[in-house]
Every structure is written in C-alpha cells, then in structure tokens.
C-alpha cells in the first residue's frame, strides 16, 4: 500500500468522498402481487400474537398475507416514507394522533362501503367506532380501548402496610403525602414515582382536570401558560423533595422504551403507562404490579378518557380493497383470532368478543378490565384530534422539562419558553 | 483515417482501461443511486413537502427560515462544531501515537494492530452505541470504577447535559483505527536513513519526531484531517442511539444530521430537511476548502521542489 499522492490526485479523492456520502436515499420495496400487506408497530409479544392470527387466516382462507412490523419509534418514519413512495401497505395499524392527518390527505380509504358486506360491525361499541370517524366517514376500526393510568408495585406497598386511597377520588395532595410517608422505606435506589414532567399524556390529564384540553377543535393550544407552569412546578417540587429520581437518572428513559422506564428498571414505585401495557410491564417486573387512576386536582374534572389504543385502517391505494376488508374483519370480529390477540392491544369494542374473552383472562388481564370498568364511570369525552405538528410539541416537552429539571432555567421561564414555542410550532403547521 | 482512430482508442484503453474498470462499481453506484436523489433533494429544498402530499414550490422559504427563524439550528451547529473541534484533533493525536508505537517490529505486532483497529470496525455501529449508554450510565461500568477507585458516585454521564457530548467525543476518539492504519502506512514511507543520519548527528527522539516524522507525514496528516472532519460533521448514529433518538438531554447532543433527520422523518418536513442537507454540504465544502488553502503552508509533497 502506498500513500504517495500529489496534490491533484488527492483533491479528487477527497472531493469524491465528500460528495458521495452527504446525501443518502431511501429505496422502496416492490409491491407484492395479489396478497394483502399488513403493517403494525408492536413488541415481541404483540408480534407473536399477530403473526399467529395471520397464519390462522391464511390456513382458513388460503389467502396470502405479508406482515411487516416495527417499533413505535421507527414506525411513523417508515409509514411516511412508504406513503411518499406510493407504496403503503394495504392494512395499516393507525394511531388516533395520526388518523386525521392521513385520512384528510387522501391516504386512507373510507370503510363505510364495506360495513355490512365484509365488515360486520353490528356488535361494535358506538363510542369506539366514533373514534375512527373523520369528517363523518369511518377511516379506522378500533382494535381496543385503553386509558392512561398510574402503575405501581403492589407487593411493595402491601409489605409496607400502606393502603391505596379510593382511586376515584384521590388527589395530588394524597399522592405527595403517600410519597412522603414512604420516603426512606423503599428498597435502595427506588424513588416514590417516575417523574412525569416530560410526558405529554400526563400534562393532558392535568389540563383536562381543569376543564381544558391540550388542543382546541381548531388546532390551537387548549390550555393557559399558568396551567403549564403549575404542572412543571408540581413535578419540580417532587424532584426537589426526592420523591422522583434526580434529573440525570430520570433522563435515562428518554428513548421511551418500556425496558428503560424508571418503573421497570426498579427506580420507581409508581409509573405512568397505558392500561393495555400492564401485561407487558408485569412480564418485566418481579413484584406484582397493578394499575390505578391518576390522582385528581382538588375538585377537578375527570382527566382520563377511554381512547382507542390503536385502530386498523385501509390504504386508499390498496389494490384489492375487498380482500383487505375481509382480513380487517377477521382481526376485529373473529372469535378464534381474538382468542389469540386477547386484550394485548386493548379491550375489544365487539360485545360478543368481549364476553368470550373475559372468561379466559389471566389475573393481570382481569386487572385491566376492572380498571377500565372503574375509569368508564369517571371519564370525560374524547378530546379533539391533535392538530398537525402535535407530534413535534410532544417531543419538545422533554427538552423543555429537562431544562427545568437540570435547573438551567426557572419553572416560570421554562414554561413560558415552551408555551411560546408551542404557539409558534402550531402556527407553522 | 479510422484505422488510426481505432489504434488510438486501443492505446488509450490499454493505458486507462483497467483504471476505469476499477472505478466502475463506484461510477455505477454514483449514477445509478446517488446522483438522482441528490438532484431531487436540491429541488425539494425549494419546496414544502410533508411526504404525504405532493411537494409545492416554496422558493427560498426554507433557507430563509433556516437563517432567520429556526430556534434549534443554531444549537445544532454549535453542538456539531464543538464535536468536530474536539474529536478530530484528539482522535488524530491518539491515532498517530498508536501508529508510532505499532510501527516498531516487536513480536505479534500484527495481532496488536488488528486489535487496535477493532473499535473502528465496530465503532459507528448501533451495538457499540448501546454499550456506551451502559458504560456511562448512572450505574455503568465507568461510575462503578470511580466508586471503587475514589469512593465517588458520578452522575449519569450520557444523560447529563453537561457531559453527554463529552462521552460522544470520547467514543469518537476511541475509533482511531482507520486514521491509525493510514498513519502506519505513512510512517513506512519515511526513509530510515533519515533517522540514522539524524541520530548520528545526535538528534534526540523528540527532535527527530518534530523534524523528520511530522514534516514527512504532513500529507498523510492532511488526508486524515480532511476525511475525519467530514466524518465529524456527518456524525449521526452515536448521538441517535445514545440519546434515545432525542438529541437530548436538552438538545445537548443534537448533532446537525440528527436534527436534519428529525425534521425529515419525525416532523415530516422533507423540504426543509433537504435545505438543511444542502447547507451541510456547503459547510463541509467550506471547511474542506479552508483545509486545502491552509495546506500550502504546512503540507509538502515529495514530488515538489521546496
């Protein structure tokens, strides 16, 4: 090997290397022939269940199904890229946050023509169906209901002889008081609660308890600066009291992966999850865990709501829409399929499926049903759909909170920065 | 006179043909894969494009936004420049030092060279970034070491805004392998008789380094400097994985390319992200140009008269 170069040769080399590598591209995959493509985000457990249902469907009908799955973090990038390449899968697991955007941009097929034909939705809960409607047409069928919740380590609480107050009426003050009572009694390295100052869903509960919402119907911010300040102040106070982990420890859950959450890694007694995630969390935690309602503010309104954990939508570009609708129907209404799926994606909106499932649930799954039954009597209405750029606001909350948590900025200024920034981002939409 | 033309072509082919054959894979890749998207991104940088609907012409809006209103771009530039400023010189220094150590003919030197090169093979990979996250976490290996040695409990380095970037710089330095290999080859090119003559004249090792090794290695240093600077500006994977895809905490590891990626694929602003990509190209071009301009003052090639 020789590295004797003169200036001219060398210039060519470096120039080429710089040009070739700065800008990269994303390739699209070839469209599968007559089969139905199905894409979802998930976890190993969900992937296993979903693949089993697909196998069952192919066995029963002889149809061909091509599955595709990603983690939540990569999913939306993948989907957007496929939409840009006009290569969307036929059936798409959809989130309430994005269904309006995709439907209004003509990417999704209206499902109304298939109802009564391929899609049998007679037994389906009207509230859950409503969550899939955009501008009067059905663009997604709910795969199950869930709700935001606090999760806690039941075994530890019981061992300490501490009882949880009535979940439907406990307040933030009760929550903090319990934290102070338990201080110093928890296992080493475990704090009372995960810090939730960076979590948009937790902020949403906070503002809903005050009769407001994250967003208004016309896509503006639905709460005031004062609400945000109070929210940040509450969590900063908990951090200062040592009830939640220090900022640098808490920041280790930035990836929002379940395995890295404070709750799962043994650093907190309380955590924040969605109810359908209880089973997956229990698989990762040694102690017995349970879920309970999120504490309210004094005299507050219900902050939580039942939401579709996820929906199934059909791409407008689907080549064989009837075949896609049949597979969708299989997922939503087939008893055998739901014996496999159970309530991993949330509790089914189909009444007969629900009855069938309840008989065979594990203890952990029963907790979810019990919880949702309690929540159902203390919930508010489904909030307006998030506007475009809402995802950006969600992500921006973390650095905003971190700046406060690491004491680079005061609660007041940090809240104001985020609020002004949020208004600007929504205007840019 | 077709016969002479044919003869000329044949002669030309004999001379340069094999060269073009060797270039072919790169040329095919460039014209088949790179050129099209590159031009497309130039067009997209003048549009509003959210991936879901067709791009619409926006003129210079994206560039104007980048220069006047973008709140996060300044920070992304600062983080990237800081990273390049520290990681490149330190990495080159370590690479040169190890190359000089490994240049001696001791037993098993090939084994050591391969071992020291290993981090570079693994370096930009996701696995190493994940490992880094563990090593410099709150209860990571590094803190356990500090605890044992000094009885001091360190912070969670990767997730503390004051230290997160430093851990990435250390990670970059650790990937000294490829410049090291090039330095090794460069060292082999230096005629041994120069050193013999110098030591005969009583020059110390230190003096030999400054007077012989460094000047004769200058072209190779220059080559490494330019390549590593470009690499540094493009750094992505490490920050993406170590920060859980957020560039956090508080945007302290928000590298330029990470910000670009977030705008494109998380915020669905492909038009704006394309503009950012072209700005990055210009930035890299400027730095490369500066390096070339400065090189005439410190880089000498053997084939030019001094």
């Amino acid at each position: 090997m020789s590295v004797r170069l003169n200036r001219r040769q060398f210039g060519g080399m470096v120039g080429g290397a710089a040009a070739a590598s700065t800008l990269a591209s994303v390739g699209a995959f070839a469209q599968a022939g007559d089969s139905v493509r199905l894409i979802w985000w998930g976890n190993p457990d969900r992937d296993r269940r979903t693949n089993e249902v697909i196998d069952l469907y192919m066995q029963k009908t002889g149809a061909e199904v091509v599955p595709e799955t990603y983690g939540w973090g990569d999913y939306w990038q993948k989907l957007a890229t496929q939409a840009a390449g006009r290569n969307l899968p036929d059936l798409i697991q959809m989130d309430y946050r994005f269904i309006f955007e995709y439907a209004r941009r003509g990417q999704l097929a209206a499902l109304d023509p298939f109802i009564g034909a391929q899609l049998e939705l007679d037994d389906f809960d009207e509230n859950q169906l409503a969550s899939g409607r955009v501008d009067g047409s059905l663009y997604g069928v709910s795969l199950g209901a869930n709700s935001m919740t606090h999760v806690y380590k039941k075994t530890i609480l019981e061992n300490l002889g501490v009882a949880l107050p009535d979940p439907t009426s406990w307040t933030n003050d009760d929550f903090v008081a319990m934290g102070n009572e338990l201080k110093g009694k928890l296992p080493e390295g475990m704090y009372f609660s995960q810090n939730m100052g960076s979590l948009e869903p937790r902020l949403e509960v906070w503002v809903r308890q005050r009769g407001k919402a994250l967003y208004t119907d016309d896509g503006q911010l639905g709460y005031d600066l004062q609400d945000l300040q109070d929210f940040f102040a509450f969590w900063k106070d908990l951090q200062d009291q040592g009830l939640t982990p220090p900022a640098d420890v808490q920041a280790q859950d930035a990836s929002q992966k379940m395995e890295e959450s404070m709750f799962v890694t043994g650093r907190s007694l309380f955590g924040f999850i969605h109810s359908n995630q209880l089973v997956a969390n229990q698989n990762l935690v040694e102690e017995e865990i349970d879920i309970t309602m999120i504490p309210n503010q004094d005299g507050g309104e219900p902050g939580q709501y039942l939401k579709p954990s996820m929906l199934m939508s059909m791409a407008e570009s689907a080549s064989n829409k009837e075949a896609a609708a049949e597979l969708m129907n299989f997922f939503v209404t087939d008893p055998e399929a739901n014996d496999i799926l159970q309530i991993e994606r949330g509790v089914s909106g189909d009444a007969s499926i629900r009855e069938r499932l309840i008989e065979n649930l594990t203890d952990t799954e029963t907790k979810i049903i019990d919880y949702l039954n309690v929540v159902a009597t203390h919930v508010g209405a489904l909030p307006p759909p998030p506007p475009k750029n809402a995802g950006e606001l969600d992500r921006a909350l973390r650095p905003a909170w971190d700046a406060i948590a690491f004491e680079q900025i005061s609660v007041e200024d940090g809240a104001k920065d985020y609020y002004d920034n949020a208004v600007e981002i929504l205007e840019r939409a | 006179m077709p016969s002479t033309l044919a003869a000329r072509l044949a002669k030309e082919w004999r001379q340069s043909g094999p060269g073009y054959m060797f270039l072919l894979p790169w040329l095919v890749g460039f014209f088949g894969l790179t050129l099209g998207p590159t031009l497309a991104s130039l067009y997209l940088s003048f549009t509003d494009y959210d991936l879901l609907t067709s791009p619409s012409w926006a003129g210079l809006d994206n560039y104007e936004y980048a220069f006047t209103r973008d709140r996060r771009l300044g920070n992304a530039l600062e983080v990237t420049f800081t990273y390049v400023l520290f990681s490149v010189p330190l990495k080159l220094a370590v690479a040169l030092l190890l190359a000089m150590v490994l240049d001696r003919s001791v037993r098993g030197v090939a084994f050591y060279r391969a071992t020291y090169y290993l981090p570079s093979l693994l370096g930009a990979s996701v696995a190493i970034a994940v490992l880094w996250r563990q090593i410099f976490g709150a209860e990571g290996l590094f803190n356990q070491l500090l605890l044992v040695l000094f009885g001091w409990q360190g912070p969670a380095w990767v997730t503390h805004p004051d230290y997160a970037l430093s851990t990435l710089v250390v990670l970059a330095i650790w990937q000294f392998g490829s410049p090291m290999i090039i330095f090794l080859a460069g060292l082999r090119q230096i005629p041994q008789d120069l050193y013999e003559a110098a030591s005969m004249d009583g020059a110390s090792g230190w003096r030999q380094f400054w007077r012989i090794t460094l000047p004769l290695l200058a072209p190779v240093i220059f080559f490494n400097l330019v390549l590593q600077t470009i690499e540094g500006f493009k750094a992505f994977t490490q920050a993406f994985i170590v920060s859980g895809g957020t560039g956090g905490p508080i945007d302290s590891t928000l590298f330029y390319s990470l910000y670009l990626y977030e705008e494109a694929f998380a915020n669905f602003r492909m038009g704006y992200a394309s503009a950012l990509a072209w700005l990055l190209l210009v930035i890299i071009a400027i730095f490369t140009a500066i390096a070339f301009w400065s090189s005439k003052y410190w880089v000498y090639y053997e084939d030019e008269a001094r």
Side-chain angles (χ1 to χ4, degrees), chain A residues 2 8 19 27 36 46 48 67 78 82 86 108 113 116 166 339-340 361 380 385 389 397 403 406-407 409 423:
Chain A
S2 165
R8 199 160 36 90
V36 178
R46 182 179 304 159
R48 178 184 60 76
K78 190 73 197 172
Q82 289 182 336
R86 294 184 187 80
L108 301 182
D166 175 5
D339 283 347
I340 298 170
L361 292 181
N389 285 8
L397 190 63
F406 283 104
E407 303 191 328
I409 196 167
V423 170

Side-chain angles (χ1 to χ4, degrees), chain A residues 32 117-118 126 133 390-391:
Chain A
Q118 289 85 359
E126 179 49 37
R133 286 214 179 87

